[in-house]
Amino acid sequence: MTESLATSAQWRIGPLQVALEPHVHGRSGEPMARHWLARWTGMTEQAVPLTRDERTRPQLHGALAAHDVGWSHSGQGLLIGFGPGVQLGMDLEYIKPRPRALELSARFFHPREHAWLQSLPPPLCEATFLRIWCAKEAVLKAHGYGIAFGLEKLCFAQGRQGLELIDCDARLGLARQWTLHQWQAAPGYLAAAAWRAQPAP
């Protein structure tokens, strides 16, 4: 059974403001994103200059053009992030067993990540697979193409502070430009925020 969320939560993560809200599976996250953007900016929900680009990625305009927003839903949760001067991606994953972790990593992950997962005992392999998946989704959502861009086109490894992006396709910029923050946003939920400085137009 999916872990339910009873209340909302907020964090300040680097330049980001982040919120987690209970969410009904299948509903659009945009109304709640507008609600939080209004709270964070002092605007009315109707005045928030939020649209979607041709790939349906959220975009802010007008007075918020120098900011970015992203959200992700999984299970019964919705994770929303907002920040100035950044290109931002958010991902939320409900934590559950991943018995096909090695099979999926062999098909979709970078070879170095798959080799790392192969070296781990099964419970740690599944947990690490989910951490990598969540990190990849956050970066690729920030980029705007999502996982269709190719999960193998970026590679994460364990660093001193958690996962670090160590290699990526040139279209994602330089790996060192990206910051990743992962945390357990609620019991049963893994969250990730990935950002870099907004590229020059």
Side-chain angles (χ1 to χ4, degrees):
M1 180 179 291
T2 303
E3 196 82 28
S4 63
L5 291 175
T7 59
S8 61
Q10 293 186 68
W11 300 268
R12 187 67 188 242
I13 299 169
L16 311 180
Q17 296 183 83
V18 178
L20 178 70
E21 279 284 345
H23 181 68
V24 177
H25 181 74
R27 288 189 182 173
S28 170
E30 186 167 324
M32 187 56 67
R34 283 187 174 275
H35 167 77
W36 277 100
L37 285 167
R39 289 183 61 173
W40 287 327
T41 64
M43 296 180 170
T44 65
E45 292 183 24
Q46 295 76 18
V48 170
L50 174 65
T51 61
R52 302 290 191 108
D53 67 13
E54 65 276 6
R55 298 187 298 271
T56 75
R57 186 190 190 281
Q59 287 189 323
L60 294 169
H61 303 277
L64 299 181
H67 296 68
D68 201 11
V69 63
W71 60 85
S72 175
H73 42 77
S74 182
Q76 297 182 26
L78 175 69
L79 184 72
I80 306 152
F82 168 71
V86 293
Q87 186 177 11
L88 165 66
M90 308 295 298
D91 192 56
L92 183 70
E93 297 289 341
Y94 177 62
I95 300 171
K96 61 183 180 181
R98 312 278 170 160
R100 298 177 59 218
L102 280 179
E103 175 190 342
L104 292 172
S105 69
R107 290 180 60 193
F108 299 115
F109 281 11
H110 190 282
R112 289 178 62 177
E113 294 167 331
H114 177 62
W116 176 25
L117 291 171
Q118 282 184 306
S119 73
L120 302 175
L124 185 55
C125 172
E126 291 186 25
T128 304
F129 170 86
L130 183 61
R131 289 172 57 219
I132 295 171
W133 183 284
C134 189
K136 286 175 180 283
E137 284 239 39
V139 171
L140 293 175
K141 286 176 180 177
H143 182 235
Y145 283 88
I147 61 175
F149 183 73
L151 293 170
E152 79 286 356
K153 292 178 181 174
L154 62 169
C155 180
F156 284 90
Q158 183 64 40
R160 292 183 180 180
Q161 304 282 323
L163 289 184
E164 293 179 358
L165 185 62
I166 61 170
D167 192 22
C168 62
D169 186 283
R171 287 169 289 178
L172 295 173
L174 300 175
R176 66 174 180 270
Q177 294 174 325
W178 289 96
T179 298
L180 174 73
H181 182 80
Q182 283 188 314
W183 74 107
Q184 187 165 335
Y189 290 87
L190 176 66
W195 69 92
R196 65 173 177 172
Q198 283 186 353

